[in-house]
Amino acid sequence: MAAKLLDGKALASTMREEIRCRAAALKERTGVTPGLGVILVGDDPASRSYVTAKERALAEAGMASVDIRLSATTTQEELLATVARLNADPKVHGILVQLPLPKGLDTDAIIRAIAPEKDVDGFTPENVGRMVLGETCYLPCTPHGVLQMLMRAGVETSGRHAVVIGRSNIVGKPMAMLLSRKGPGGNATVTICHTGTKDLASYTRQADILVVASGRPNTVTGDMVKPGAVVIDVGVNRVPCAGTKTGYRLCGDCDFESVSQVASLMTPVPGGVGPMTITMLLENTCLAAERAASCG
Ligand code: GUN
């Protein structure tokens, strides 16, 4: 059986149109244009291309971006001062510091410096705590995007076994938390696997829903998947490829060929989770602007 593809690009396009209308309505009502401060430190090519894609999407949704590019030699103090400036800027409703930061910078301290009400990535301890407690917060964009894909595709999560591979703060941990919380898109029984897991396949074969965020190509092959499972591939890996203009091609963390023969529904890479991550960033930025406008 060949899996049906979960088309993140198409869903992202529908949702971005909804968000564009929301942003336009806010502007019409209050004069406020949602704005995101985007900080990129250093010249990592993958980070640069993610940031470019995020800024393009903001512009297409009628939102503003304050684009800050800093050299890889930027000091902790300079970066903290930049975050503080954006915290104080009323035109900036959300702040994104693209990760990973160059070595030598203290990522945790930078994240903690972001005002929680502008933390549209949902990375600050305040937002993470609120998410765990089920309180109003900004949900981290990648797991939130995965949840939207599952819900809008009509995938039942309640009572099913979800296995998440990866325990990063950005994807694995919040993904597991969201799938297990009570409510729509949740109520699943969740297992978290990671680099310390022995016999990974014995867990993945039990998964009705398998979310793969290991950051490593071919982590999951078809023989590790339960027939009919829903597989969400969060990986974005650049692998050298001589025949392409860029010299690389993108692949996920799953072996697409074999997994797609066993799964019932699967996300492709590219065109799966990636466009949804950016879409949820747009939504969080719009929400931050709406909240700021209703307070101001
Ligand atoms: N690096 C990889 N994913 C993300 C993300 O969602 N937000 C930020 N700020 N950096 C990232």
Side-chain angles (χ1 to χ4, degrees):
M1 173 183 43
K4 217 177 128 207
L5 292 186
L6 256 174
D7 187 344
K9 210 168 151 192
L11 177 55
S13 159
T14 304
M15 290 189 70
R16 285 181 199 189
E17 181 55 21
E18 294 166 6
I19 297 163
R20 193 186 65 75
C21 292
R22 249 171 83 180
L26 180 70
K27 184 156 189 208
E28 172 89 21
R29 206 170 60 244
T30 65
V32 170
T33 300
L36 181 69
V38 181
I39 304 176
L40 173 65
V41 188
D43 43 24
D44 175 67
S47 290
R48 204 173 334 121
S49 85
Y50 293 145
V51 162
T52 304
K54 288 170 185 179
E55 289 177 339
R56 191 181 313 130
L58 282 161
E60 284 169 5
M63 301 194 208
S65 57
V66 176
D67 175 20
I68 297 174
R69 306 285 163 109
L70 300 172
S71 86
T73 56
T74 299
T75 64
Q76 183 80 7
E77 291 66 34
E78 285 166 339
L79 187 48
L80 285 171
T82 305
V83 171
R85 183 157 54 79
L86 294 180
N87 279 342
D89 185 341
K91 287 202 176 65
V92 171
H93 306 99
I95 298 172
L96 177 133
V97 179
Q98 184 65 29
L99 302 179
L101 289 171
K103 283 199 177 64
L105 292 169
D106 179 348
T107 301
D108 288 346
I110 300 297
I111 288 172
R112 279 165 203 265
I114 298 170
E117 67 275 16
K118 295 194 179 188
D119 171 29
V120 288
D121 258 328
F123 290 170
T124 59
E126 166 105 8
N127 265 306
V128 175
R130 285 178 162 271
M131 179 189 64
V132 173
L133 295 169
E135 295 176 4
T136 302
C137 64
Y138 294 107
L139 295 179
C141 301
T142 300
H144 192 193
V146 170
L147 225 55
Q148 287 293 327
M149 287 180 99
L150 291 172
M151 290 192 333
R152 293 200 185 211
V155 174
E156 181 61 86
T157 51
S158 183
R160 302 186 80 193
H161 187 191
V163 174
V164 177
I165 306 180
R167 57 180 157 187
S168 70
N169 291 340
I170 295 182
V171 185
K173 278 187 217 166
M175 189 77 251
M177 187 55 61
L178 294 176
L179 283 165
S180 61
R181 72 179 175 172
K182 246 187 189 161
N187 213 27
T189 302
V190 179
T191 301
I192 306 180
C193 297
H194 44 71
T195 48
T197 300
K198 293 199 171 83
D199 193 6
L200 180 64
S202 69
Y203 297 95
T204 58
R205 284 193 195 113
Q206 296 177 43
D208 301 310
I209 298 161
L210 180 60
V211 181
V212 190
S214 59
R216 201 167 40 84
N218 297 318
T219 301
V220 172
T221 47
D223 58 310
M224 298 167 69
V225 175
K226 174 159 134 180
V230 175
V231 179
I232 307 290
D233 190 342
V234 181
V236 186
N237 303 291
R238 290 180 170 201
V239 292
C241 185
T244 61
K245 212 161 67 180
T246 52
Y248 66 83
R249 68 180 174 85
L250 292 182
C251 76
D253 293 347
C254 295
D255 172 45
F256 185 83
E257 295 301 319
S258 62
V259 172
S260 63
Q261 292 305 308
V262 185
S264 61
L265 201 56
M266 182 177 183
T267 55
V269 178
V273 175
M276 288 303 293
T277 296
I278 297 181
T279 303
M280 302 328 293
L281 176 70
L282 300 182
E283 182 173 280
N284 281 352
T285 304
C286 191
L287 188 58
E290 289 165 348
R291 285 178 179 163
S294 71
C295 292

